[in-house]
Amino acid sequence: MNILLLGSGGREHAFAWKIVNSKKCNQLYVAPGNAGTGQIAENIPLSVTDFEGLADFVLHKKIDFVVVGPEEPLVRGIVDFFAAREDLKNIPIIGPGQIGAQLEGSKDFSKKFMERCGIPTAASQTFTKETLEEGLKFIDLQELPIVLKADGLAAGKGVLICNSYDEAKASLKEMLLESKFGSASEKVVIEQFLSGVELSVFVATDGIHYIILPEAKDYKRIGEGDTGLNTGGMGAISPVPFADKEFLEKVESRIVIPTIKGLEKQNIPYTGFLFIGLMNVNGDPYVIEYNVRMGDPETQAVLPRIKSDFVDLLYALGTKKLHQYQFETENSCTATVVMVAGGYPESYRKGDTIEGLKGIESADKSLTFHAGTQLSNSNKVLTNGGRVMAVTGIGNDPYEALKNAYNTVEKISWVNVSFRKDIGQDLLALKKD
Ligand code: AMP
Ligand code: GLY
């Protein structure tokens, strides 16, 4: 099959690696891709939001199906765009339509959806400029800390955890009156703080049937010991030791099934991946957020644990035949370490030469996924973003997976490279207790 994948991060390199390893893949194109995807597939210089350009490409290259990596084209309605075009409507595009994508695109929408479906989540209320005074009074009635969330997409920065009433009130005013997060904070969700350990559960669905992919834990903060600024994600571990059978059964019965049934009942067509950010509160799962795509870097830890054919999975999603797909996972553990440019998530340099990539062997039991990279005219791999590489170690247990990941990380370098050295340590400490 000829396949078009949209995106350019580590997640997309992992998707590309899995797709080209399937016998079912004839040709893979990635728009726009990175230096890593360019080594295993053909990069196409088209933006993920250039719907007309992508449509022309799909028709010209006789693409059999399209996979969407990031949320932005989904929230902007790429799936609806394909469905509305007579010449494209029969080409499966894997991702939810614009309404379904609101599960990520609008916190208010997703909270109301969860309330309608009876899905456990933090209690909340939404406020606008017009209801600011009520919002300020609402804050006084909450326990500390108080969570404020910009309604729209805010590049992962739109959540504030406020430790005093004054801070919460000042932040609410900044968000609603001074557009702290641009139009994303025209509405603000104020919610109860949930205390516990987080994990991410991934569901693949054709809108009716679903499978639950291996779960993962992400490390969001830049600094060791979960300190410092939030990032896109600095590492991941799969499986998550505390997510035992009993906990995952609660996730399935209380969250996954009501979500899929809710989408169906409310006539929200949904194909593709659903990422459920969860908090384990004393053994009970609560939804922190939905994302309408796979996570990055969780994908780099999750996909290597899928044994059954990945192209078959994608095609089954796109053609709504997921019930005919035999899903199998590997018994392995994975650990992903993200290597970033010094300064990230604040300002950082681009264009540094990445050394050591050629010295990595398959015996290292690791996979090296590119994120922000670019090939120079002289074929050198250069840094081209904040998150530059994601290295996944594979092992029989988390210790071995981590050792294999860090062994490879040590071989790769560039000026001012930085990474967290404590990925997985919190989970291993929990396991010992
Ligand atoms: P989000 O952008 O929704 O993923 O939120 C970013 C981060 O804020 C999450 O990964 C959590 O660590 C934290 N967070 C969000 N909502 C809550 C909540 N209700 N209680 C505690 N922490 C939260
Ligand atoms: N790693 C978190 C995310 O992809 O949103």
Side-chain angles (χ1 to χ4, degrees):
M1 279 189 274
N2 296 332
I3 302 164
L4 172 64
L5 168 66
L6 306 187
S8 60
R11 168 183 50 213
E12 285 75 22
H13 191 187
F15 264 91
W17 163 75
K18 208 66 187 155
I19 290 171
V20 298
N21 272 310
S22 162
K23 289 194 191 81
K24 307 283 168 64
C25 174
N26 174 42
Q27 175 72 45
L28 173 68
Y29 301 96
V30 189
N34 59 33
T37 61
Q39 287 166 0
I40 56 173
E42 189 176 330
N43 284 347
I44 305 300
L46 284 174
S47 152
V48 297
T49 53
D50 177 4
F51 295 176
E52 293 288 349
L54 293 168
D56 288 347
F57 183 82
V58 162
L59 294 172
H60 178 63
K61 292 287 184 183
K62 299 197 169 24
I63 296 294
D64 293 291
F65 69 87
V66 181
V67 193
V68 185
E71 64 280 12
E72 198 188 351
L74 297 169
V75 174
R76 289 202 195 187
I78 193 166
V79 171
D80 310 73
F81 173 87
F82 269 60
R85 282 255 311 245
E86 207 48 46
D87 51 351
L88 293 171
K89 69 177 189 197
N90 293 323
I91 300 171
I93 172 160
I94 292 142
Q98 199 162 18
I99 299 177
Q102 288 295 297
L103 284 180
E104 176 164 1
S106 164
K107 304 265 187 212
D108 179 48
F109 178 92
S110 78
K111 294 301 286 193
K112 294 206 165 105
F113 174 82
M114 285 186 261
E115 280 160 26
R116 282 198 298 274
C117 301
I119 292 169
T121 185
S124 75
Q125 214 162 305
T126 302
F127 298 93
T128 61
K129 205 193 259 182
E130 288 69 38
T131 55
L132 172 66
E133 287 308 315
E134 288 157 50
L136 296 171
K137 282 185 200 139
F138 184 78
I139 285 175
D140 276 325
L141 302 174
Q142 306 308 303
E143 278 180 36
L144 292 174
I146 299 169
V147 183
L148 262 53
K149 296 187 171 182
D151 174 57
L153 292 182
K157 299 196 174 90
V159 175
L160 302 178
I161 299 187
C162 303
N163 289 306
S164 74
Y165 293 101
D166 285 348
E167 186 191 345
K169 287 178 188 172
S171 300
L172 182 68
K173 284 185 199 158
E174 273 182 88
M175 287 164 96
L176 291 176
L177 302 179
E178 293 161 33
S179 307
K180 185 178 170 78
F181 299 106
S183 59
S185 61
E186 276 170 13
K187 283 185 193 172
V188 174
V189 174
I190 302 182
E191 75 176 31
Q192 170 201 16
F193 179 81
L194 297 174
S195 184
V197 194
E198 285 183 68
L199 84 157
S200 310
V201 168
F202 301 94
V203 178
T205 180
D206 60 9
I208 299 159
H209 316 97
Y210 67 87
I211 52 177
I212 300 179
L213 305 179
E215 78 287 352
K217 182 176 190 292
D218 179 19
Y219 292 79
K220 286 208 169 83
R221 302 292 196 92
I222 188 70
E224 278 157 30
D226 288 328
T227 53
L229 294 174
N230 253 331
T231 69
M234 296 295 289
I237 292 278
S238 180
V240 179
F242 71 76
D244 55 16
K245 194 162 174 274
E246 189 191 345
F247 182 79
L248 290 174
E249 274 171 9
K250 288 182 191 168
V251 173
E252 181 166 14
S253 61
R254 297 179 192 175
I255 295 166
V256 177
I257 294 174
T259 300
I260 303 295
K261 287 227 160 85
L263 288 166
E264 203 188 336
K265 256 198 221 138
Q266 294 168 43
N267 285 322
I268 303 174
Y270 198 108
T271 301
F273 297 97
L274 181 68
F275 160 159
I276 310 176
L278 294 172
M279 189 74 85
N280 175 352
V281 183
N282 300 323
D284 289 319
Y286 284 78
V287 179
I288 293 275
E289 63 167 350
Y290 288 117
N291 292 308
V292 296
R293 52 172 173 86
M294 287 295 288
D296 186 340
E298 293 98 322
T299 301
Q300 295 89 308
V302 167
L303 295 200
R305 297 195 55 227
I306 298 180
K307 191 172 183 182
S308 39
D309 190 277
F310 194 60
V311 169
D312 278 346
L313 167 60
L314 295 171
Y315 197 66
L317 290 172
T319 52
K320 306 209 178 302
K321 296 209 168 107
L322 193 57
H323 55 297
Q324 293 174 6
Y325 178 70
Q326 278 294 330
F327 181 60
E328 275 180 88
T329 55
E330 299 279 3
N331 235 341
S332 55
C333 292
T334 50
T336 302
V337 178
V338 175
M339 303 176 74
V340 303
Y344 172 81
E346 295 182 284
S347 63
Y348 54 83
R349 241 168 54 171
K350 289 184 184 178
D352 288 314
T353 304
I354 304 172
E355 310 281 359
L357 292 173
K358 291 216 170 78
I360 299 164
E361 319 213 337
S362 54
D364 293 341
K365 297 206 173 116
S366 66
L367 298 158
T368 303
F369 298 115
H370 291 221
T373 68
Q374 180 185 322
L375 215 53
S376 74
N377 292 337
S378 56
N379 269 348
K380 281 187 180 153
V381 181
L382 306 179
T383 66
N384 190 40
R387 292 194 294 170
V388 177
M389 289 279 169
V391 177
T392 298
I394 303 170
N396 291 319
D397 56 46
Y399 300 93
E400 209 176 271
L402 282 162
K403 185 174 83 146
N404 291 334
Y406 280 109
N407 278 345
T408 297
V409 164
E410 292 299 339
K411 294 182 180 171
I412 302 171
S413 64
W414 64 88
V415 179
N416 276 334
V417 59
S418 177
F419 56 88
R420 271 180 67 166
K421 297 180 184 65
D422 67 338
I423 300 304
Q425 294 308 319
D426 56 333
L427 293 179
L428 299 180
L430 270 181
K431 221 179 157 187
K432 275 194 205 121
D433 289 346

